[in-house]
């Protein structure tokens, strides 16, 4: 069904349906009619829905396994420690939804109400949504192609009844593909405050992260800053530091200087972080004295400061 | 043996191995690279097909960044990473004009390129083709499994790290393998403990034991635990041959045993 010619120009390109390579494609007529380029009505619906959401933050990385979900979860925990702040955490990693486990909400179910899907509330002021809540078994695989994943993301943004929210944090899978394009497109009319980009120090990560930064520029997504995770390891026995993931090309610091993007902070590797995530507990509470907690809190504060400089309509109070 | 498909560019490839994980950042590209190097050291000719289109890591790991792909008579000529031409590589990394360029493609376009990588690269005669994949169970995975099906891949190496958050994703990948009829050769647990270079204390940085337990639960062979070794990370950063340079590393025995498992499943038969 998804037979697409080798040189498919893309359904939303100007050449859609008209290029030489479109001949014989089953979608040719649809693309040529301009239907692919017509604005999705969901974008307006999502804009309406997002009126009750003050700040929207995407957590991105080109690279997998650098700690996006860990960071998203702890950003949510940190912000929600103030019980007057309403926080929403949306997990759009459809194939590998980690957020339910990290938030200690595995096995919870999503309920439908008259006003839409109800998120799962960890606290009164912290609601969570993930495809993980829609799966009946931990072994279930979500083997979906792009269009179906996009449909799910649209539903998450349009149909979840978050209520009034101060911060909506969107956790993403690694890459620069369907999920990322969809969330940016669907939220286009609703103004995203910006993206927090997570990396680890080594070049193998940075080379993917530079692509993610390039993606942000391409889609005009403001970048709040970069977080360097797993930045050094302190041995619990001898307290000496080692670099498990060496910053062979200067780490995030050099990359941020090069690309003129703020480095929000560096978080060291603390084995207790992984344990907290596995248990579904907030690391900030489990290990309040860890240098990693100190780093997280400082980063969270910088993100709050960035957001408070932006009015909900997307206008800056302070020029950049 | 191989299905009788149209003789194509994979006709000379004896065994195909996919390296998968539901989880990102567990070391798929690392394991793919080290497996290729280990097999090369036993005299085999190995190809690596990198179908991670958004985050192509393999060129750097083999010091092949910036190389160009040429068109030959039978298709694209893969990049040889060594003078002896014992390891060849195809990656979208070679097709980008700028290394920091993002490939912002939706599924159908990615599928089309992956099909081309499978059918239009002139691999020639190879003992093994190792296919490195991005994390997940989506377009790239379905496209590459479909495209390789006529060539009866040997199976999949599935990589995880020890902690529950990884295992949670990887068990879904095992379901994917079952659903698409891809045999699991075995499960590898990566980043399994870190030995402090100062005091030799071993810390379970990413927890412990999850990989072995998952293998038991899913009924797949457990191929071993690879510890965290900064020398391994450094070798990959520099594009050096870890298998040759660091035979005394704590990571070496596990990586060798993965290669041994593959070799034992694919004895050289009489032609």
């Amino acid at each position: 069904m998804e037979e697409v010619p080798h040189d498919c120009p893309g359904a939303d390109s100007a050449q859609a349906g008209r290029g030489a390579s479109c001949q014989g494609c089953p979608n040719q007529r649809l693309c040529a009619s301009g239907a692919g380029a017509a604005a999705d009505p969901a974008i307006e619906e999502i804009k309406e829905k997002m009126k009750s959401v003050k700040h929207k933050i995407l957590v991105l990385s080109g690279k997998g396994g650098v700690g996006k979900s860990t960071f998203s979860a702890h950003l949510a925990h940190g912000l929600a420690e103030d019980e007057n702040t309403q926080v929403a955490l949306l997990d759009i990693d459809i194939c590998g939804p980690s957020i339910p486990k990290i938030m200690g909400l595995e096995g919870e179910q999503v309920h439908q109400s008259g006003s839409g899907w109800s998120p799962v509330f960890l606290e009164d002021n912290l609601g969570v949504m993930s495809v993980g809540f829609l799966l009946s078994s931990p072994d279930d695989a979500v083997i979906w192609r792009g269009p179906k994943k996009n449909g799910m993301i649209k539903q998450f943004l349009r149909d979840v009844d978050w209520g009034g929210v101060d911060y909506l944090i969107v956790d993403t899978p690694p890459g620069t593909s369907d999920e990322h394009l969809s969330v940016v497109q669907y939220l286009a009319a609703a103004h995203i405050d910006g993206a927090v980009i997570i990396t680890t120090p080594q070049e193998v990560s940075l080379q993917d992260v530079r692509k993610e930064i390039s993606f942000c520029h391409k889609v005009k997504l403001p970048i709040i800053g970069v977080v360097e995770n797993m930045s050094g390891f302190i041995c619990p026995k001898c307290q000496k530091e080692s670099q498990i993931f060496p910053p062979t090309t200067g780490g995030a610091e050099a990359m941020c200087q090069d690309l003129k993007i703020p480095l929000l902070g560096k978080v060291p590797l603390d084995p207790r972080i992984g344990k907290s995530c596995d248990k579904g507990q907030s690391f900030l509470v489990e290990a309040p004295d860890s240098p990693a907690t100190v780093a997280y809190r400082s980063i969270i504060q910088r993100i709050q400061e960035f957001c408070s400089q932006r009015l909900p309509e997307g206008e800056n109070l302070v020029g950049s | 043996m191989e299905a009788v498909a149209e003789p194509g560019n994979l006709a000379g490839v004896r065994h195909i191995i996919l390296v998968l994980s539901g989880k990102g950042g567990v070391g798929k590209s690392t394991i793919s690279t080290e497996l290729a190097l280990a097999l090369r050291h036993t005299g085999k000719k190995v190809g690596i097909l990198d179908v991670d289109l958004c985050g192509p890591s393999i060129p750097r790991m083999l010091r092949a960044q910036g190389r160009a792909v040429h068109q030959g008579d039978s298709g694209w000529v893969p990049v040889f990473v060594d003078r002896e031409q014992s390891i060849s590589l195809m990656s979208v990394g070679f097709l980008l004009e700028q290394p920091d360029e993002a490939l912002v493609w939706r599924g159908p376009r990615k599928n089309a390129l992956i099909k081309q990588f499978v059918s239009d690269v002139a691999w020639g005669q190879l003992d093994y083709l190792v296919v490195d994949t991005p994390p997940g169970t989506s377009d790239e995975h379905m496209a590459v499994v479909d495209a390789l099906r006529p060539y009866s891949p040997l199976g999949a190496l599935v990589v995880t790290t020890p902690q529950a958050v990884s295992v949670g994703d990887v068990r879904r990948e095992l379901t994917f393998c079952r659903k698409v009829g891809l045999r699991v050769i075995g499960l590898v647990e990566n980043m399994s403990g870190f030995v402090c270079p100062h005091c030799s204390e071993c810390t379970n940085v990413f927890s412990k034991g999850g990989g072995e337990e998952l293998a038991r639960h899913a009924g797949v062979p457990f191929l071993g635990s690879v510890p965290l070794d900064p020398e391994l990370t450094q070798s990959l950063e520099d594009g050096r041959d870890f298998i040759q340079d660091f035979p005394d590393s704590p990571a070496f025995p596990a990586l060798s045993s993965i290669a041994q498992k593959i070799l034992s499943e694919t004895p050289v038969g009489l032609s």
Side-chain angles (χ1 to χ4, degrees):
Chain A
M1 201 264 117
E2 312 246 359
E3 278 305 313
V4 169
H6 283 181
D7 299 317
C8 167
D12 39 9
S13 102
Q15 281 300 300
R18 299 189 180 94
S21 44
C22 299
Q23 301 303 319
C25 173
N27 298 324
Q28 184 186 14
R29 197 177 295 166
L30 186 65
C31 286
S33 72
D40 189 331
I43 294 178
E44 270 306 305
E45 290 171 298
I46 290 168
K47 179 183 179 184
E48 275 310 301
K49 207 58 186 254
M50 288 290 135
K51 280 190 169 153
S52 61
V53 177
K54 278 211 196 105
H55 299 292
K56 300 154 210 78
I57 300 163
L58 300 193
V59 180
L60 303 174
S61 179
K63 185 82 183 69
V66 296
K68 288 176 291 311
S69 299
T70 303
F71 182 80
S72 300
H74 287 87
L75 176 58
H77 277 305
L79 291 169
E81 278 174 4
D82 172 6
E83 55 192 31
N84 295 316
T85 303
Q86 285 294 126
V87 182
L89 177 56
L90 172 58
D91 177 8
I92 61 165
D93 188 341
I94 309 289
C95 296
S98 305
I99 294 286
K101 180 171 230 42
I102 296 176
M103 300 299 282
L105 295 172
E106 268 190 319
E108 293 288 333
Q109 306 260 293
V110 166
H111 301 285
Q112 279 256 2
S113 75
S115 40
W117 290 359
S118 302
V120 175
F121 282 93
L122 178 65
E123 310 284 349
D124 286 340
N125 67 332
L126 176 47
V128 182
M129 179 56 69
S130 166
V131 83
F133 298 136
L134 307 175
L135 301 171
S136 44
S137 152
D139 291 316
D140 281 350
V142 185
I143 309 173
W144 289 358
R145 291 186 190 278
K148 212 166 167 186
K149 292 193 284 187
N150 300 338
M152 182 92 268
I153 291 168
K154 185 196 302 195
Q155 278 198 277
F156 277 163
L157 291 169
R158 187 190 57 196
D159 299 343
V160 172
D161 181 23
W162 296 105
V165 169
D166 293 293
Y167 294 94
L168 170 65
I169 301 159
V170 183
D171 184 33
T172 64
T176 51
S177 188
D178 285 276
E179 297 87 334
H180 314 85
L181 279 168
S182 291
V183 78
V184 167
Q185 282 176 0
Y186 288 133
L187 286 175
H191 297 290
I192 303 171
D193 289 61
V196 176
I197 302 186
I198 314 287
T199 186
T200 49
Q202 77 275 41
E203 179 58 26
V204 158
S205 289
L206 296 175
Q207 74 179 6
D208 286 353
V209 168
R210 288 194 199 94
K211 294 186 204 294
E212 196 74 21
I213 291 170
S214 158
F215 166 81
C216 291
H217 292 324
K218 244 185 192 169
V219 300
K220 300 192 183 16
L221 177 58
I223 296 174
I224 302 174
V226 172
V227 174
E228 184 183 86
N229 218 359
M230 307 194 201
S231 193
F233 169 74
I234 308 276
C235 176
K237 186 168 181 211
C238 71
Q239 305 301 317
K240 295 217 173 82
E241 191 182 11
S242 307
Q243 296 291 345
I244 297 185
F245 301 110
T248 54
T249 55
E253 199 156 353
M255 179 187 72
C256 287
Q257 236 157 38
D258 213 23
L259 300 177
K260 301 193 187 11
I261 291 173
L263 176 65
L264 295 175
K266 291 155 79 151
V267 185
L269 239 185
D270 184 328
R272 292 174 291 175
I273 299 178
K275 287 208 178 80
S276 294
C277 289
D278 279 359
K279 288 192 308 183
Q281 302 290 325
S282 167
F283 172 75
L284 306 175
V285 166
E286 298 260 290
D289 301 324
S290 163
T293 299
V294 174
Y296 268 140
R297 289 201 182 281
S298 147
I299 292 165
I300 292 172
Q301 193 169 346
R302 288 188 67 174
I303 293 171
Q304 282 178 288
E305 281 160 13
F306 179 94
C307 289
S308 67
Q309 289 171 359
R310 297 176 74 85
L311 294 171
E313 290 74 30
E315 295 164 29
N316 280 353
L317 274 176
V318 180
S320 55
Chain B
M1 285 304 294
E2 279 92 70
V4 182
E6 319 95 41
N9 280 315
L10 287 177
V13 175
R14 299 188 65 223
H15 305 291
I16 299 171
I17 299 156
L18 284 85
V19 181
L20 303 174
S21 180
K23 185 82 182 67
V26 297
K28 290 176 289 309
S29 300
T30 298
I31 297 290
S32 299
T33 300
E34 300 310 321
L35 174 61
L37 290 169
L39 291 170
R40 189 261 296 271
H41 280 294
T42 67
K44 304 296 179 191
K45 279 196 79 172
V46 187
I48 306 176
L49 173 56
D50 176 4
V51 300
D52 187 341
L53 303 185
C54 296
S57 303
I58 308 267
R60 184 177 191 93
M61 292 180 172
L62 290 166
R63 217 186 291 191
Q65 318 92 291
R67 302 276 298 276
V69 167
H70 303 287
Q71 274 275 349
D73 291 332
S74 353
W76 291 346
V77 180
V79 171
F80 288 105
V81 308
D82 57 338
R83 215 175 291 132
E84 301 79 25
Q85 300 198 340
S86 51
I87 295 187
S88 54
L89 170 58
M90 180 54 68
S91 168
V92 81
F94 299 133
L95 307 178
L96 300 170
E97 282 179 15
Q98 299 291 334
D100 298 340
E101 191 185 321
L103 208 73
V104 185
W105 286 1
R106 288 192 183 273
R109 218 163 161 194
K110 291 194 286 187
N111 296 342
L113 182 60
I114 288 170
K115 281 193 189 131
Q116 269 197 282
F117 273 174
V118 171
S119 62
D120 295 351
V121 174
W123 294 106
Q125 301 297 317
L126 289 179
D127 295 296
Y128 298 95
L129 178 65
V130 177
V131 183
D132 185 30
T133 63
T137 51
S138 187
D139 290 274
E140 296 89 333
H141 313 85
M142 286 189 262
V144 84
V145 165
D146 279 344
L148 290 173
R149 203 183 294 280
Y151 304 96
S152 302
L154 188 67
L157 278 182
V158 179
V159 186
T160 186
T161 51
Q163 82 263 53
V165 167
S166 288
V167 166
D169 285 350
V170 176
R171 48 199 300 189
R172 303 188 199 281
E173 194 75 21
L174 293 173
T175 302
F176 169 82
C177 292
R178 220 166 21 243
K179 283 203 161 152
V180 300
L182 185 59
R183 183 188 147 236
V184 176
I185 301 169
L187 188 84
V188 175
E189 181 184 272
N190 203 11
M191 306 199 194
S192 198
F194 174 68
V195 176
C196 176
H198 305 287
C199 71
S200 298
E201 167 89 351
C202 181
T203 307
N204 292 317
V205 181
F206 299 116
S207 276
K208 184 185 167 70
E212 197 159 1
E213 210 179 296
L214 174 60
R216 211 174 13 242
H217 161 87
V220 302
F222 181 63
L223 298 185
S225 306
V226 182
L228 277 164
D229 179 0
E231 280 179 334
L232 174 58
T233 324
Q234 188 78 41
S235 294
L236 293 158
E237 291 280 286
D238 299 338
R240 293 212 320 270
D241 185 340
F242 174 80
I243 301 287
Q244 178 175 276
D245 294 347
F246 297 103
D248 296 326
S249 149
F252 185 87
L255 292 171
S256 290
S257 91
I258 294 165
Q260 281 308 313
K261 169 78 177 176
I262 301 293
L263 289 165
S264 71
E265 295 221 346
T266 55
V268 178
L270 296 169
S271 52

